[in-house]
């Protein structure tokens, strides 16, 4: 291992080398911001936690150009879908015909064509133990200084910097680094959050207690062609030799690679005296064998399938959200800010949305020659992310029973939440509609904007209709006049979402060429182009840098709720910051006012 410097200053320190911390470093790297990432463990986690990334998260990774690598890493999980409850895993799987794989719960095939109109990407199943190495390899390839086996002993801050005391756990060396800002992605027990004294709402006294039992068992041939995502097990238990009443086995069996790697989430009850240490590997092996029930299979010997316990990790199905996500120069993200059960698939995805939101704001401030000019922007992080993180935690909590297992209560709230939020479409980060956040509200007029609405599933159900605070609508485009060297698919098409990521973007209607000069004036007024950029595209125009909708020449204007002279101002994270329906007198001043309100809060 290379020797570590005794004193270093870095723009951003990222504490935590899980999926959220790694994503934070990659997003900041994408904006040209240097980071040091530290993680106390020697490598990425071997324990599977979340097993899926939603469509919005895949859109974020699309910006980084790593979706192909992620899909390859998760290809063994691609057939996964469906849920079932049974006394054993065998009794749940065996009746399913191999020619009819389990019904998918996240991307029903009947909706696949509809969902494809909302995004260039699809959500997919992939365990975080498979995803994190892809992120780490990419980060190191792109120059991120990722230091594992490194612990943060203490952290302080003043008006100019954050100071961290670090320890190399392999050599015992202690040293200090300073940073402009710190992102604490150090997990649900977050030492940094505790040190800052940030309390959490919610309590876990009544939350289910479970053991994450990671094991190997060659079940691939048995499940092939009938892969399920989760099998909830309720087994009455086997009689004991001592004559005591059988102990029921309740838990959830989940696949990691549809082959030899699996997880059983076993419920245990502290109220009955159960403790994690009461479940050594030998006992867990017998419990897993009983839950599998493979001794009933004619394909196996009487001893059933061989089970190898890899590790056992206790956890709680808690819903706990930090009351604050920012303390001056330190920001909480991921599990350090919000802990939630995994079943709605929102925990890790919410964390990745956290750091994507924060990265571009930090980049604007750090790249500016006058950081205080844009300091207001950093205050919008908590204002935007905390409400949707609370909502995600509530949805996740509602999908969990008192034992901590998956439970879907089919009431209007749950159905609505699953449809709009947990369906892996754009996820819970689809809207920022609170007051005083990093968007410019619009006046919808006497008809409440009804004449602007897009009468499609994307517009009416998902809210992807061009309004400020919404993720910009996805429309397939093609480059005018010449082949686009950065094409995103085999047909040469580019999504509107592919135009975002590093700078502000002004998307004008087909007759909106006047917006190009207006945007140039904004950039020259605020700062040199190297520190603040607005790229302008006339969608349907005929300039060398313009794009045209692939299928319908007015598709973008319809999806965005604007006329041919209107425009959307889109933030680097792909959210609409400001919308004007048509070109009006004073449009240059209106754009200037909108930009000042967005960046400077005035």
């Amino acid at each position: 291992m290379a020797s570590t410097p005794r004193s270093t200053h870095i723009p951003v320190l990222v504490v935590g080398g899980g999926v959220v911390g790694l994503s934070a470093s990659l997003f900041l790297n994408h904006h040209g911001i240097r980071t040091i990432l530290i993680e106390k463990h020697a490598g990425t986690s071997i324990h599977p936690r979340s097993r899926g990334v939603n469509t919005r998260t895949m859109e974020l990774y699309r910006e980084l150009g790593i979706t192909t690598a992620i899909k390859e890493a998760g290809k063994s999980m691609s057939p996964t879908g469906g849920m079932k409850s049974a006394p054993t895993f065998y009794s749940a799987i065996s009746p399913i015909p191999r020619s009819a794989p389990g019904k998918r719960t996240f991307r029903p095939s009947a909706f696949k064509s509809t969902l494809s109109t909302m995004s260039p990407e699809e959500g997919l199943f992939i365990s975080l133990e498979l995803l994190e190495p892809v992120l780490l390899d990419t980060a190191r390839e792109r120059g991120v200084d990722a230091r594992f086996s490194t612990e943060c002993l203490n952290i302080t801050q003043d008006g100019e910097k954050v100071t961290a005391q670090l320890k190399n756990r392999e050599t015992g060396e202690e040293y200090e680094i300073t940073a402009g800002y710190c992102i604490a992605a150090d997990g649900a027990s977050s030492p940094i959050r505790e040190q800052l004294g940030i309390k959490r709402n919610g309590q876990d006294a009544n939350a289910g207690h479970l053991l994450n039992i990671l094991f190997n068992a060659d079940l691939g041939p048995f499940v092939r062609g009938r892969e399920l995502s989760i099998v909830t097990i309720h087994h009455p238990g086997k009689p004991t030799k001592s004559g005591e009443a059988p102990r029921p086995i309740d838990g959830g069996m989940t696949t990691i690679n549809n082959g030899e790697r699996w997880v059983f989430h076993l419920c245990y009850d502290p109220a009955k005296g159960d403790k994690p240490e009461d479940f050594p590997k030998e006992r867990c092996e017998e419990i897993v064998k009983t839950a599998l029930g493979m001794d009933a299979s004619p394909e196996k010997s009487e001893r059933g399938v061989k089970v190898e316990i890899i590790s056992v990790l206790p956890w709680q199905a808690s819903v706990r959200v930090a009351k604050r996500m920012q303390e001056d120069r330190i920001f909480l993200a991921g599990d350090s800010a919000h802990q939630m059960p995994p079943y709605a698939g929102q925990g890790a995805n919410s964390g990745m949305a956290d750091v994507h939101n924060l990265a571009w704001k930090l980049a604007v401030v750090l790249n500016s020659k006058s950081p205080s000019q844009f300091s207001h922007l950093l205050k919008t992080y908590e204002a935007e992310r905390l409400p949707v993180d609370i909502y995600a935690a509530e949805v996740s909590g509602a999908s969990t029973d008192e034992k901590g297992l998956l439970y879907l209560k089919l009431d209007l709230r749950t159905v609505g939440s699953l449809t709009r939020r947990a369906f892996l479409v754009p996820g819970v980060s689809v809207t920022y509609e609170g007051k005083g956040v990093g968007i410019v509200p619009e006046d919808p007029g006497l008809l409440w904007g009804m004449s602007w609405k897009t009468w499609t599933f994307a517009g009416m159900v998902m809210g992807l209709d061009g309004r400020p605070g919404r993720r910009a609508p996805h429309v397939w485009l093609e480059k005018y006049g010449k082949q686009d060297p950065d094409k995103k698919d085999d047909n040469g098409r580019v999504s509107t979402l592919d135009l975002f990521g590093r700078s502000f973007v002004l998307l004008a209607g087909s007759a909106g060429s006047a917006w190009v000069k207006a945007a140039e004036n904004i950039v020259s007024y605020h700062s040199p182009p190297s520190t603040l950029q607005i790229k302008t595209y006339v969608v349907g125009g005929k300039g060398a840098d313009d794009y045209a909708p692939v299928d319908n020449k007015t598709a973008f204007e319809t999806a965005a709720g604007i006329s041919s002279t209107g425009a959307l101002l889109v933030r680097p994270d792909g959210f609409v910051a400001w919308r004007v329906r048509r070109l009006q007198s004073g449009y240059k001043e209106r754009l200037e006012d909108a930009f000042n309100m967005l960046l400077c809060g005035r």
Side-chain angles (χ1 to χ4, degrees), residues 464-487:
L464 303 176
D465 55 7
R467 273 182 284 175
R470 307 293 178 96
R471 196 268 272 149
H474 154 68
V475 177
W476 284 116
L477 308 174
E478 56 188 354
K479 193 76 175 264
Y480 179 80
K482 65 178 181 179
Q483 188 71 14
D484 180 14
D486 297 321
K487 67 180 182 180

Side-chain angles (χ1 to χ4, degrees), residues 491-523:
N491 298 316
R493 303 180 302 174
V494 174
S495 169
T496 47
L497 305 189
D498 296 326
L499 305 180
F500 316 136
R502 285 192 173 97
S503 64
F504 291 89
V505 173
L506 193 66
L507 294 178
S510 57
S513 59
W515 290 108
V516 177
K517 184 63 176 177
E520 291 175 351
N521 290 339
I522 296 291
V523 171

Side-chain angles (χ1 to χ4, degrees), residues 51 77 79-86 89 91-96 100-105 125 223-232 253-256 258 262:
R51 295 182 308 122
M77 291 279 285
T80 304
M83 306 172 185
K84 209 169 181 185
S85 180
F89 183 75
S91 62
I93 300 291
S94 57
I96 302 175
K103 181 182 177 182
R104 294 183 178 231
T105 54
F125 282 103
V223 302
R224 190 169 297 121
R226 47 192 181 185
E227 294 86 351
L228 292 177
S229 173
I230 300 176
V231 176
T232 302
M253 193 75 69
T254 61
T255 180
I256 302 305
N258 285 314
W262 299 82

Side-chain angles (χ1 to χ4, degrees), residues 200-204 318-322 335-340 393:
R200 292 186 291 176
N201 292 315
Q203 51 88 30
D204 54 15
S318 305
V319 175
R320 308 191 74 176
V321 181
D335 286 353
S336 68
H338 41 78
Q339 183 181 0
M340 62 191 79

Side-chain angles (χ1 to χ4, degrees), residues 181 326 331 361-362 365 374-381:
Y181 298 92
Q326 179 181 2
F331 302 87
K361 297 173 180 179
L362 284 170
V365 173
F374 303 124
S375 60
H376 160 80
L377 198 57
L378 297 180
K379 298 178 182 178
T380 67
Y381 168 65

Side-chain angles (χ1 to χ4, degrees), residues 265-278:
H265 295 282
L266 172 68
C267 300
Y268 70 99
D269 190 355
K272 295 181 179 179
D274 291 343
K275 301 182 294 295
E277 52 267 31
D278 295 333

Side-chain angles (χ1 to χ4, degrees), residues 313-331:
L313 182 70
W315 65 281
Q316 274 189 276
S318 305
V319 175
R320 308 191 74 176
V321 181
K323 293 185 177 181
R324 304 193 311 280
M325 295 180 70
Q326 179 181 2
E327 185 74 21
D328 298 327
R329 291 176 172 267
I330 302 175
F331 302 87

